[in-house]
Amino acid sequence: MPALPDPLDRLLAPLRASVGTLPSVWVVGGAIAVAIAGSAVLGSGPGLAVELACLAVVLLYCALRPADGLTVLGLAVLPAAVSAIIGDGFDIPRWTVAVPVAVLALVALAAQDRDDRRARGGEAAA
């Protein structure tokens, strides 16, 4: 990926150092929980707006991560993608499929966070 212009890079540096280093389990887990609750409670129209807002939060977070943003993004959208395919294929509510898939995605994100902490700790020691 090409480097950002220097003024923009300096502007984003504090956000990368603060927001970008938050544990992905908490950020993505919160977004997934809000999206699932919005979909289950509000129905398809307003629920979709909630899901899109959660996606925007996750996209911003992944863009600010110092590393592995695409991995986190892939794991974040996995529950929505699987629930859309299976839920529509078997005509069941999407949120009922998204909940167990979200648990698996959050376990994978916890492993990603552990690896990130280990890498940041190794950089600090070097």
Side-chain angles (χ1 to χ4, degrees), residues 58-80:
V58 169
L59 283 171
L60 178 65
Y61 168 72
C62 290
L64 293 173
R65 281 182 59 86
D68 300 321
L70 287 177
T71 302
V72 172
L73 180 62
L75 289 169
V77 300
L78 185 66

Side-chain angles (χ1 to χ4, degrees), residues 9-63:
D9 194 40
R10 279 186 277 135
L11 181 67
L12 292 177
L15 289 173
R16 285 188 178 134
S18 58
V19 175
T21 57
L22 291 173
S24 62
V25 169
W26 296 109
V27 176
V28 173
I32 289 174
V34 169
I36 290 173
S39 175
V41 173
L42 299 175
S44 63
L48 180 61
V50 171
E51 291 173 9
L52 289 174
C54 291
L55 177 61
V57 168
V58 169
L59 283 171
L60 178 65
Y61 168 72
C62 290

Side-chain angles (χ1 to χ4, degrees), residues 64-121:
L64 293 173
R65 281 182 59 86
D68 300 321
L70 287 177
T71 302
V72 172
L73 180 62
L75 289 169
V77 300
L78 185 66
V82 171
S83 67
I85 293 168
I86 294 175
D88 291 350
F90 292 101
D91 198 29
I92 56 177
R94 288 184 179 186
W95 67 269
T96 59
V97 177
V99 170
V101 176
V103 170
L104 295 174
L106 292 176
V107 168
L109 285 170
Q112 179 70 39
D113 285 343
R114 185 187 64 237
D115 293 343
D116 287 347
R117 279 193 309 274
R118 188 176 302 135
R120 281 195 303 267

